[in-house]
C-alpha cells in the first residue's frame, strides 16, 4: 500500500483516519479488505489496533482476507447520513459479517442487492462499489 498519509486523509475526509486504521483504509484504494493479524499469536482482530487484543503484542500486520463470510447482523436504514450514492427509500441495508478466516472477526458495510434476500446466517461475499468517487467495500449475496 503506497498511498501517502496526506492523500489518504484527503480521499477519505469523511472518515476518522488514524495511525491504527490507515493501512485498512489504504487497502480500500486497492480493493483489498485488510484485517490486522498478530505476528506473535496469529490472531486476527478488527477494528484495527496497534496492539493485539489477545496477547498485547505490538507486532501486527494487515493482511487481505478472502471476503467470504456469513451475515451476523442486518440493519435496514430508512434515514442516515447524506451520501451521494446512498438512497434510503428502499431502505439501505447494512450487514455485519462473520469473516470465514476466524470466528468472531466481523466487518460491517453496505449490502448491495435485494436486501430482503439476505438473512442472519446467509453466505455473502465482498465486492466493491464506489462511495464519494473512491472504492468502497460492499457485501453481496452468495458464497465468494
Ligand atoms: Zn497476539
Amino acid at each position: 500500500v503506497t498511498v501517502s498519509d496526506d492523500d489518504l486523509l484527503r480521499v477519505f475526509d469523511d472518515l476518522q483516519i488514524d495511525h491504527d486504521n490507515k493501512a485498512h483504509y489504504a487497502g480500500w484504494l486497492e480493493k483489498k479488505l485488510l484485517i490486522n493479524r498478530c505476528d506473535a499469536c496469529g490472531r486476527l482482530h478488527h477494528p484495527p489496533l496497534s496492539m493485539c487484543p489477545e496477547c498485547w503484542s505490538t507486532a501486527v500486520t494487515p493482511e487481505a482476507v478472502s471476503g467470504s463470510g456469513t451475515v451476523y447482523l442486518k440493519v435496514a436504514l430508512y434515514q442516515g447520513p447524506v451520501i451521494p450514492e446512498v438512497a434510503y427509500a428502499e431502505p439501505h441495508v447494512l450487514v455485519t459479517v462473520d469473516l470465514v478466516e476466524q470466528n468472531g472477526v466481523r466487518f460491517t458495510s453496505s449490502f448491495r442487492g435485494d436486501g430482503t434476500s439476505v438473512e442472519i446466517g446467509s453466505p455473502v461475499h465482498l465486492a466493491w462499489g464506489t462511495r464519494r468517487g473512491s472504492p468502497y467495500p460492499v457485501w453481496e449475496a452468495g458464497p465468494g
Side-chain angles (χ1 to χ4, degrees):
V1 178
T2 54
V3 65
S4 73
D5 289 357
D6 285 346
D7 285 346
L8 195 64
L9 289 169
R10 187 170 40 73
V11 168
F12 293 125
D13 62 356
D14 57 317
L15 301 176
Q16 297 294 316
I17 305 291
D18 59 33
H19 285 292
D20 286 352
N21 67 26
K22 66 182 182 182
H24 175 79
Y25 290 112
W28 289 15
L29 297 177
E30 299 179 358
K31 298 186 177 180
K32 292 177 181 172
L33 186 63
L34 301 179
I35 302 292
N36 277 2
R37 183 184 294 281
C38 175
D39 297 338
C41 75
R43 299 275 295 173
L44 298 169
H45 70 265
H46 190 80
L49 302 168
S50 56
M51 178 183 286
C52 172
E54 187 74 20
C55 76
W56 295 11
S57 168
T58 55
V60 294
T61 305
E63 71 173 40
V65 293
S66 67
S68 293
T70 54
V71 173
Y72 173 79
L73 180 70
K74 171 183 169 180
V75 177
L77 294 181
Y78 292 85
Q79 297 180 33
V82 176
I83 300 169
E85 293 89 351
V86 175
Y88 295 99
E90 298 182 0
H92 184 71
V93 173
L94 300 176
V95 288
T96 297
V97 174
D98 263 322
L99 303 180
V100 293
E101 278 78 7
Q102 183 181 302
N103 188 31
V105 175
R106 301 176 181 129
F107 183 75
T108 301
S109 198
S110 299
F111 179 80
R112 185 166 67 189
D114 176 7
T116 63
S117 71
V118 68
E119 300 179 334
I120 305 306
S122 294
V124 290
H125 65 273
L126 187 70
W128 293 90
T130 302
R131 187 72 60 91
R132 295 187 170 97
S134 297
Y136 186 82
V138 297
W139 295 104
E140 292 183 339

